[in-house]
Amino acid sequence: MSREPVPKNNNETTSNGDTVYHHDEAENLPGHSHHDDEVLSEANLKSYWRANVKVLITLLSAWAFVSFVCGIILGDWLDQFYLGGFPLGFWFTQQGAMLCFVVIIFIYHFWMLRIERAHGVDDDSVNHDQPSPQSPQKREA
Amino acid sequence: MDAQTLSYIFVGLSFALYIGIAFWSRVGSTKDFYVAGGGIPPLINGMATAADWMSAASFLSVAGLLAFAGRDAAVYMIGWTGGYVLLALLLAPYLRKFGRFTVPEFIGDRYYSDVARVVAVICLIFISFTYIAGQMRGVGIVFSRFLEVDINTGVVIGMGIVFFYAVMGGMKGITYTQVAQYCVLIFAFLVPAVFLSIMWTGNPIPQFGFGDMLNDGSGLTVLQKLDQVTVELGFTAYTQATRSKIDSLAIVAALMIGTAGLPHVIVRFFTVPKVSDARKSAGYALAFICVMYTTIPAVAAFSRLNLSESVNEVPYAEAPAWVGNWENTGLIAWQDKNGDGIIQYRAGKALDPVKPNFTGERGKYGERLVSNALTATPNEIYVDRDIMVMANPEIAQLPNWVVALIAAGAVAAALSTAAGLLLVISSSIAHDLMKRTFMPNITDKQELLSARLAAVAAILVAGWFGINPPAFVAQTVAFAFGMAAASLFPPIVMGIFSKRVNRQGAIAGMLTGLVLTVGYIVYFNFMEPGLNNAEHWWFGISTTGIGTVGAALNILVTVIISRLTAPPPQEVQDMVDDIRIPAGAGVAHHH
């Protein structure tokens, strides 16, 4: 049985993503040993995090809408409309909300992938000097 | 071959498969044991997560719950599945980037505190054991009904199998057995559902058949017929909700937050290679779950229709064979209140107390007599909700191998959840309590040995609970989800999205959420069960929904206390910065 070599402590490998602020304190931390990698600008990280939070707010609104609003609050009102043989509000509680949840998660996945690549912080980019969308150092899973 | 022999063969074959996988995937390091070496592909992890999370109750009881409670029970469906959105968006990618082994480990590191870690371990163990007791019992019940062995023998056999692959294979063994278990349980659930759907509507896809016209030429859809029948019998119409909106909202939120805070589910996302894999596998997990969870409402509707149509106003002597068969196992009871020899199925409880106590004697039509008081309602028949799944093959007149399949599927659902829970219990004890808190100097080998011993101990405790089920098994769902929502979810999310929340805030918040939630549930379910109604609840929120209030209060207390005390040390803030970006999680290091 083959086992891939894995680092004992992942913190040692996470340095690539570390920010540039607090250079001095960073010395004592195992996670901050690669100073040459710390080229991600603070501005880039901030804009990445802002984009991330925007995605979360958008998708969580959709999540709350299909479950709390369509499933419960407006459920009775929606029942006057039909989807095939289903009253619409009832359908949301039995199938609709669940299907939307799956779609929301996959939208999140692909949306984030695009944002991460644009900011050079996706998990395939090993070298942050050139934030390239398709990093050649793909790691076998 | 009869159903019982086939059940033995099917369950036996599935066990052989699980043990084979255990041999193939035995592990040698703590990292393999806790998180399968972090090398599980996202699709496989998604499937394993689905099996991990779908318990014996999902397989056997949820369809019955829906069949009898109609739209009111839909809050459970939305709540349980909606939790995966929170998990995928707010937790999974960040915890994967954190890149360690357990949930308490994150809480301990993020809040730089052994106290926080130990509080998290205690919550985790309590949640996991309340959950696992039901699984072990489920294995025993399936054994007793399908294989006609004693419940306790069934529990012991189940313990033996889980022991084998959880202790030997750790997370790796569990993951691959869960994949096999998912396949077994989904196939077992879908086959009768497809036939039921064809039987009533001619449509082979239950999800669509559920919304179709009936094929009896009545010109009604399944749901119109159901509404009509339920109203005629004195129930609320099937598609009508009766629960108050505020309680429905609170229950949905509590189950969502609780699902996202279940440690055995969270830990599955530590096992994938990359951060993006964690997101993707949460999507796969929910998709696999939805294959089952969109079938459940269809099964519920068809079985409710079937119960009303084939049993009501039918003379007992001419009732379908499955009625007598399941009466023999104690899941159906009929008492001829009006002495006409005909089964009347109506709204209301047939017996008091609800579950039948059989006297061992037979009545004049051959029915099993009970010693329960008869209620004043015209309803004469008691039907256990698990029947809605277990009796399906007979109701749809399917061959015996489908019955055997249901047995194997139910066992698979119970074992997969039990194993996942055992693993988080053992890794928390060995890793969080021993290695990280009390015995930091033990070697990897010693830690692995203690994880295995902890797993053995956890199996024994779980088995004991399975054989001597605590009286509160019925309330454990409220307990486990409420606790997960009020204690574990808030500190993890706030730890990721705020750099300002600190040790003092998190500990105070967790304890507040926990005390409030547990106190509320204990008060209404055990101390004053007579007051357990909307009139006495806070804001009309039931014990199932109180986790929402607990979580909200936890967040409030954490934020206030954190504001009043010093911010976390710089290295913790740096750690938060680091887990916020995906890059660098799984890359082999280059020193």
Side-chain angles (χ1 to χ4, degrees):
Chain A
M1 229 170 356
S2 72
R3 275 178 209 112
E4 51 188 315
V6 279
K8 251 195 95 63
N9 179 350
N10 270 335
N11 266 4
E12 289 172 21
T13 70
T14 54
S15 60
N16 304 317
D18 277 326
T19 53
V20 285
Y21 28 100
H22 326 301
H23 255 258
D24 297 335
E25 296 94 320
E27 294 290 357
N28 342 340
L29 286 169
H32 288 248
S33 45
H34 311 286
H35 287 278
D36 47 331
D37 284 345
E38 296 182 6
V39 291
L40 273 180
S41 73
E42 197 168 341
N44 185 39
L45 282 183
K46 276 216 165 120
S47 98
Y48 162 73
W49 189 246
R50 260 201 309 276
N52 178 26
V53 171
K54 206 181 89 188
V55 170
L56 291 182
I57 291 172
T58 313
L59 293 178
L60 286 178
S61 308
W63 162 82
F65 181 75
V66 296
S67 51
F68 295 107
V69 179
C70 297
I72 298 169
I73 298 172
L74 295 182
D76 306 328
W77 180 79
L78 283 172
D79 280 350
Q80 60 184 299
F81 308 106
Y82 277 84
L83 186 80
F86 296 103
L88 193 57
F90 181 79
W91 179 76
F92 266 104
T93 67
Q94 311 272 312
Q95 296 183 356
M98 285 187 260
L99 298 177
C100 294
F101 294 152
V102 177
V103 173
I104 288 171
I105 296 179
F106 279 104
I107 292 177
Y108 168 67
H109 171 67
F110 290 107
W111 196 352
M112 285 309 289
L113 219 51
R114 260 179 52 189
I115 292 175
E116 284 159 8
R117 284 180 182 153
H119 288 80
V121 295
D122 63 292
D123 37 28
D124 287 332
S125 51
V126 171
N127 191 345
H128 292 289
D129 296 60
Q130 313 102 23
S132 59
Q134 257 84 47
S135 167
Q137 294 103 320
K138 273 232 161 144
R139 175 177 171 277
E140 43 140 357
Chain B
M1 250 187 287
D2 67 345
Q4 198 183 331
T5 317
L6 279 166
S7 298
Y8 270 110
I9 295 174
F10 277 41
V11 172
L13 281 177
S14 68
F15 281 0
L17 177 66
Y18 307 151
I19 291 175
I21 293 171
F23 266 111
W24 168 74
S25 58
R26 48 192 197 283
V27 296
S29 76
T30 51
K31 183 159 180 159
D32 279 346
F33 191 87
Y34 296 143
V35 295
I40 305 288
L43 187 77
I44 297 290
N45 189 51
M47 203 179 264
T49 310
D52 197 339
W53 180 80
M54 290 193 287
S55 58
S58 292
F59 191 90
L60 291 175
S61 308
V62 177
L65 187 71
L66 234 66
F68 288 116
R71 188 165 181 170
D72 277 341
V75 290
Y76 298 110
M77 312 292 287
I78 302 181
W80 285 325
T81 53
Y84 276 85
V85 175
L86 294 179
L87 195 58
L89 273 59
L90 301 179
L91 302 183
Y94 307 105
L95 291 178
R96 174 60 194 91
K97 178 62 192 294
F98 173 66
R100 299 290 185 81
F101 298 145
T102 69
V103 171
E105 189 167 32
F106 175 78
I107 292 177
D109 285 7
R110 169 61 184 80
Y111 297 109
Y112 45 100
S113 158
D114 285 345
V115 176
R117 187 184 307 119
V118 173
V119 171
V121 170
I122 292 169
C123 296
L124 178 146
I125 288 178
F126 199 90
I127 294 166
S128 303
F129 271 122
T130 46
Y131 221 104
I132 211 171
Q135 305 309 315
M136 283 302 179
R137 190 77 189 158
V139 175
I141 288 172
V142 171
F143 269 91
S144 76
R145 284 177 196 162
F146 289 96
L147 307 176
E148 291 181 14
V149 296
D150 183 52
I151 288 195
N152 295 349
T153 315
V155 172
V156 172
I157 295 172
M159 283 163 66
I161 296 295
V162 175
F163 171 85
F164 224 91
Y165 67 78
V167 175
M168 269 178 70
M171 185 54 119
K172 206 167 162 195
I174 286 175
T175 303
Y176 289 102
T177 13
Q178 280 171 339
V179 169
Q181 283 159 341
Y182 177 82
C183 299
V184 171
L185 76 88
I186 202 71
F187 187 66
F189 199 83
L190 288 182
V191 168
V194 167
F195 283 102
L196 275 178
S197 182
I198 293 175
M199 190 172 108
W200 284 99
T201 66
N203 191 328
I205 300 168
Q207 284 85 343
F208 297 144
F210 179 31
D212 255 349
M213 287 288 178
L214 289 169
N215 59 5
D216 60 358
S218 62
L220 295 174
T221 65
V222 173
L223 291 171
Q224 282 166 338
K225 176 81 178 175
L226 253 179
D227 277 353
Q228 190 188 323
V229 169
T230 43
V231 170
E232 267 172 26
L233 298 181
F235 298 93
T236 313
Y238 191 78
T239 61
Q240 287 299 306
T242 59
R243 202 194 300 276
S244 77
K245 285 206 163 48
I246 174 113
D247 193 25
S248 300
L249 291 173
I251 292 177
V252 168
L255 295 178
M256 283 173 166
I257 302 172
T259 293
L262 287 178
H264 67 291
V265 176
I266 296 179
V267 78
R268 289 235 49 100
F269 297 96
F270 289 54
T271 66
V272 292
K274 293 188 296 185
V275 173
S276 59
D277 292 339
R279 298 191 298 249
K280 211 193 293 175
S281 78
Y284 286 133
L286 187 58
F288 285 124
I289 287 169
C290 282
V291 174
M292 172 119 155
Y293 264 64
T294 54
T295 312
I296 287 176
V299 170
F302 294 131
S303 357
R304 180 69 184 272
L305 210 47
N306 204 57
L307 179 68
S308 322
E309 293 291 282
S310 58
V311 172
N312 185 39
E313 299 300 341
V314 173
Y316 179 80
E318 291 163 28
W322 57 267
V323 174
N325 291 345
W326 290 96
E327 187 185 10
N328 288 337
T329 65
L331 295 190
I332 287 182
W334 173 66
Q335 296 301 304
D336 194 13
K337 287 181 182 172
N338 55 6
D340 61 358
I342 297 171
I343 302 171
Q344 267 88 31
Y345 173 52
R346 295 287 185 278
K349 291 171 187 165
L351 307 171
D352 182 31
V354 180
K355 299 229 174 215
N357 291 313
F358 294 99
T359 59
E361 289 162 34
R362 296 272 172 175
K364 74 171 164 183
Y365 302 99
E367 79 273 21
R368 295 179 72 186
L369 294 177
V370 297
S371 59
N372 305 47
L374 301 181
T375 57
T377 63
N379 186 23
E380 295 183 342
I381 188 161
Y382 160 83
V383 181
D384 187 285
R385 68 182 183 207
D386 291 0
I387 279 217
M388 294 308 198
V389 169
M390 292 197 293
N392 268 343
E394 289 159 83
I395 294 172
Q397 295 171 347
L398 300 176
N400 283 338
W401 62 266
V402 182
V403 178
L405 204 55
I406 294 269
V411 172
L415 290 183
S416 58
T417 308
L421 290 160
L422 284 171
L423 189 90
V424 293
I425 294 171
S426 70
S427 50
S428 273
I429 291 172
H431 191 66
D432 297 316
L433 285 189
M434 294 181 62
K435 177 75 179 175
R436 296 297 308 275
T437 315
F438 298 115
M439 301 168 72
N441 295 325
I442 53 174
T443 64
D444 195 64
K445 264 219 162 88
Q446 288 168 321
E447 194 189 332
L448 182 61
L449 181 67
S450 19
R452 287 190 158 129
L453 292 177
V456 173
I459 290 174
L460 293 177
V461 176
W464 190 84
F465 276 127
I467 291 170
N468 306 295
F472 55 87
V473 157
Q475 273 92 25
T476 53
V477 174
F479 246 130
F481 281 85
M483 283 186 63
S487 62
L488 294 180
F489 181 82
I492 305 176
V493 169
M494 285 189 289
I496 295 164
F497 288 87
S498 160
K499 283 192 252 181
R500 185 63 182 79
V501 294
N502 62 15
R503 173 174 63 199
Q504 295 88 334
I507 296 173
M510 279 163 80
L511 291 177
T512 313
L514 202 61
V515 168
L516 174 99
T517 308
V518 172
Y520 194 85
I521 296 176
V522 168
Y523 179 78
F524 280 114
N525 284 341
F526 306 115
M527 288 164 63
E528 298 287 349
L531 299 181
N532 194 2
N533 54 50
E535 218 174 293
H536 297 96
W537 295 334
W538 292 354
F539 320 110
I541 293 173
S542 61
T543 50
T544 315
I546 196 66
T548 307
V549 181
L553 210 65
N554 180 336
I555 293 172
L556 193 71
V557 168
T558 307
V559 170
I560 292 173
I561 304 268
S562 298
R563 287 277 156 206
L564 299 175
T565 44
Q570 192 58 51
E571 68 254 28
V572 170
Q573 301 193 29
D574 290 345
M575 179 190 111
V576 175
D577 275 326
D578 184 64
I579 60 173
R580 285 179 177 186
I581 54 167
V587 194
H589 66 182
H590 43 279
H591 273 284

